[in-house]
Each structure stands twice: as structure tokens, then as C-alpha cells.
């Protein structure tokens, strides 16, 4: 029988997170509920569109 997993601690800073990952046995925690996340460090310099090539929004005009 598998032992009950430990709850994830609150990590208030990058330093706390780095120390936790470096020192903890992650197999003792249930990480199955984690989901990938993306974010930007800096704003984009230009906006991109998903318009098909050949349309006015795609940059080519007839």
C-alpha cells in the first residue's frame, strides 16, 4: 500500500522554490494535479495574428 503523500509547501520566493527542489524527495509528494503553465517575462515588441496568408490581415493584399 502506498503511503499518503505529503502536502506541497507554500513557496513564497524563487529561493524557497530552488531550495525545495534541491533538497526535497519529490517522490513523497503527489504531483499528479500539476498542470503546465506558460507566461512571458517581457512584453512582445509586436503583435502576431493567426490570419491566413493572402488575406489583408495576413500582410498580402490582392
Amino acid at each position: 500500500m502506498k503511503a499518503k503523500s505529503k502536502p506541497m509547501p507554500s513557496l513564497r520566493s524563487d529561493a524557497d522554490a530552488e531550495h525545495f527542489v534541491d533538497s526535497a524527495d519529490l517522490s513523497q509528494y503527489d504531483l499528479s494535479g500539476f498542470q503546465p503553465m506558460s507566461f512571458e517575462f517581457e512584453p512582445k515588441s509586436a503583435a502576431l495574428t493567426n490570419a491566413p496568408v493572402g488575406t489583408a490581415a495576413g500582410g498580402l493584399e490582392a
Side-chain angles (χ1 to χ4, degrees), residues 8-28:
M8 285 296 294
S10 294
L11 305 171
R12 305 258 182 217
S13 68
D14 287 345
D16 288 348
E18 288 177 17
H19 181 264
F20 174 73
V21 171
D22 288 341
S23 62
D25 178 0
L26 297 180
S27 67
Q28 296 177 355

Side-chain angles (χ1 to χ4, degrees), residues 16 35 41 51:
D16 288 348
Q35 303 242 343
F41 290 100

Side-chain angles (χ1 to χ4, degrees), residues 22-44:
D22 288 341
S23 62
D25 178 0
L26 297 180
S27 67
Q28 296 177 355
Y29 297 88
D30 179 12
L31 306 177
S32 64
F34 281 27
Q35 303 242 343
M37 183 178 148
S38 63
F39 56 92
E40 297 178 27
F41 290 100
E42 296 181 15
K44 289 184 171 61

